[in-house]
Amino acid sequence: MDASIGSIVLIPALAVVAPILSTLVGRVAKIPLVVFEIILGILIGPSVLGWVAKSDALDMISNFGLAFLFFMAGNEIDFATIRGRPLGRASLGWLISLIVGIGLGILLAPSPIAGVYVGIALCSTALGTLMPLLRDAGELKTPFGIAVTAVGAVGEFGPLVAIALFLSGRTPLSAALVLAGFVVITVLGIWLASRGTHDRFHRLIRATLHTSGQFAVRFVIAIIAALVGLSLALGLDMLLGAFAAGVLARVLLSGARPGDAKQIEGKLEAVAFGFVVPIFFIATGVNFDLRGLLADSRSLILLPIFVLMLLIVRGVPGMLAIPPGSTARDRTALTLFSATGLPIIVAVTNIGLEQHDITQGTASALVGAGMLSVLLFPAIALALRQRSSDGGLRPPDEEHVPIVG
């Protein structure tokens, strides 16, 4: 099959097949949807069937999907719920993860800069992947679920800051000043958005909810483009801008009527998880160098080492956020949830490959470890929670929560 035709036809088809497979397998074991998307991408990519090739066009749409994934993460996090002890302890745990991760990375990697890439990749948590699992398990509103959300929020935002400080090519002081400038601009925008009721803004949204105007969706995409563009102009990673755009959009849209807010939420989910985010995960599979990984004995050795390091570097410090009175099973479950990472790992390894700071084998081993963490850790963690003394099967959360990733 011609590779360009394969991209046009097969990727949308696999985006349809993935949730079907996830539903069928879900009767036996809860496996995140992204696992199926990535595996299907590997299957049709150059490493197996070769029906879809790597291309600039696919990478461009994939990057937009990754940006939208982080936008949805920033838009979903309720900071009022996780503030206080959960957020404070999660932040302390992440700082420990960063220090330990970079230290072990430097010891393991062939060069100090490669070690920094490894350390930042290992200190991430894929909150977007965990949110739908927590919701379906009825865990989002429990103390345990709040702890996981806090750990995940810091585990997504913290690495973005670390990327800006350590991987931007600037001196730490210069990078910190640029990052501070971005934060000031973003905070100013959030502050302005929080002032007043913005009645005219919400009237325009309401008037175009069911027309071709779709002002709310267009406005959100413009916010993403503006803050991503600002972050890139300042030499920061685009995901920092996408995450900040999610927080800003949440504030701007908070004044909408409940019915309007629910419809806007549904439309954003449709754009994100019906279109661009699945392309990102399928493209991750397409771009994954499975043949190179299998042919390189060093990379194969690194794969299980990185899986173990995810548990040590990110999982163990994540236990600091565990609610008081939790059981041993709860602590183990939080360790596994904390160590679940993939999107940041993909982003960090892409930067490393573009800058020629890490090898393809190291990147493949890191991404492979992230895939295994998404495949194994959440399923085991949920099983442990169901057997916890305060656990058991809980009904899904009644309040609708957007699925992120």
Side-chain angles (χ1 to χ4, degrees):
M1 179 182 296
D2 183 87
S4 60
I5 297 176
S7 298
I8 295 171
V9 176
L10 288 177
I11 290 180
L14 294 184
V16 173
V17 171
I20 297 174
L21 293 176
S22 178
T23 302
L24 293 175
V25 176
R27 298 172 182 174
V28 179
K30 294 293 184 182
I31 298 176
L33 174 61
V34 300
V35 172
F36 296 94
E37 292 169 343
I38 293 171
I39 291 175
L40 290 172
I42 293 174
L43 182 64
I44 64 171
S47 292
V48 184
L49 297 176
W51 291 348
V52 173
K54 301 177 183 180
S55 68
D56 292 338
L58 180 59
D59 287 342
M60 182 180 67
I61 301 176
S62 172
N63 286 334
F64 189 68
L66 180 59
F68 225 111
L69 178 65
F70 274 79
F71 165 84
M72 295 299 287
N75 186 253
E76 171 55 29
I77 296 172
D78 186 353
F79 290 97
T81 301
I82 65 174
R83 69 183 179 185
R85 183 184 186 278
L87 186 58
R89 292 201 164 226
S91 299
L92 176 60
W94 182 80
L95 287 174
I96 295 173
S97 293
L98 180 65
I99 295 169
V100 174
I102 291 178
L104 291 177
I106 291 175
L107 289 176
L108 188 65
S111 65
I113 185 60
V116 173
Y117 280 94
V118 171
I120 293 176
L122 292 175
C123 72
S124 65
T125 299
L127 176 64
T129 302
L130 300 179
M131 291 294 281
L133 297 176
L134 294 173
R135 181 201 64 206
D136 292 343
E139 288 278 17
L140 277 175
K141 301 175 184 178
T142 66
F144 179 84
I146 292 171
V148 175
T149 303
V151 170
V154 178
E156 286 211 327
F157 181 73
L160 297 179
V161 174
I163 290 172
L165 291 176
F166 302 121
L167 305 182
S168 64
R170 298 186 175 96
T171 64
L173 177 59
S174 175
L177 291 174
V178 172
L179 179 61
F182 176 83
V183 170
V184 168
I185 295 172
T186 304
V187 170
L188 178 61
I190 293 173
W191 179 74
L192 291 173
S194 65
R195 294 177 60 84
T197 58
H198 307 291
D199 291 334
R200 292 182 179 178
F201 175 76
H202 290 294
R203 282 199 298 269
L204 180 56
I205 288 177
R206 194 176 310 121
T208 59
L209 272 176
H210 304 289
T211 71
S212 59
Q214 295 296 326
F215 177 74
V217 176
R218 297 185 186 200
F219 185 77
V220 162
I221 293 176
I223 291 177
I224 297 173
L227 286 180
V228 165
L230 175 63
S231 61
L232 292 175
L234 294 175
L236 303 172
D237 191 84
M238 71 168 188
L239 299 183
L240 189 62
F243 190 91
V247 178
L248 176 58
R250 182 184 179 93
V251 174
L252 275 172
L253 298 174
S254 61
R257 295 177 180 178
D260 294 345
K262 188 174 182 179
Q263 291 187 57
I264 294 168
E265 183 180 277
K267 292 175 185 292
L268 293 178
E269 287 182 357
V271 174
F273 306 113
F275 177 35
V276 290
V277 173
I279 292 178
F280 161 69
F281 284 112
I282 293 172
T284 298
V286 170
N287 293 328
F288 184 65
D289 187 9
L290 180 61
R291 290 181 180 177
L293 178 64
L294 296 177
D296 185 352
S297 58
R298 180 180 180 275
S299 299
L300 282 177
I301 294 173
L302 284 176
L303 178 60
I305 291 176
F306 284 149
V307 172
L308 179 61
M309 288 178 67
L310 279 171
L311 289 169
I312 295 172
V313 171
R314 187 69 193 112
V316 174
M319 282 197 295
L320 288 176
I322 195 72
S326 298
T327 66
R329 288 193 178 99
D330 293 337
R331 287 191 289 273
T332 304
L334 183 57
T335 298
L336 292 166
F337 276 132
S338 302
T340 302
L342 183 62
I344 288 285
I345 295 175
V346 172
V348 169
T349 53
N350 283 342
I351 295 172
L353 290 173
E354 290 173 1
Q355 299 297 323
H356 305 290
D357 289 327
I358 62 174
T359 64
Q360 181 64 60
T362 300
S364 297
L366 276 169
V367 173
M371 291 180 186
L372 288 176
S373 76
V374 170
L375 174 63
L376 300 175
F377 294 169
I380 299 172
L382 287 176
L384 289 171
R385 274 295 290 165
Q386 290 172 1
R387 296 169 59 190
S388 178
S389 60
D390 71 332
L393 295 175
R394 300 176 179 84
D397 290 305
E398 293 180 2
E399 182 180 349
H400 177 68
V401 177
I403 299 175
V404 183

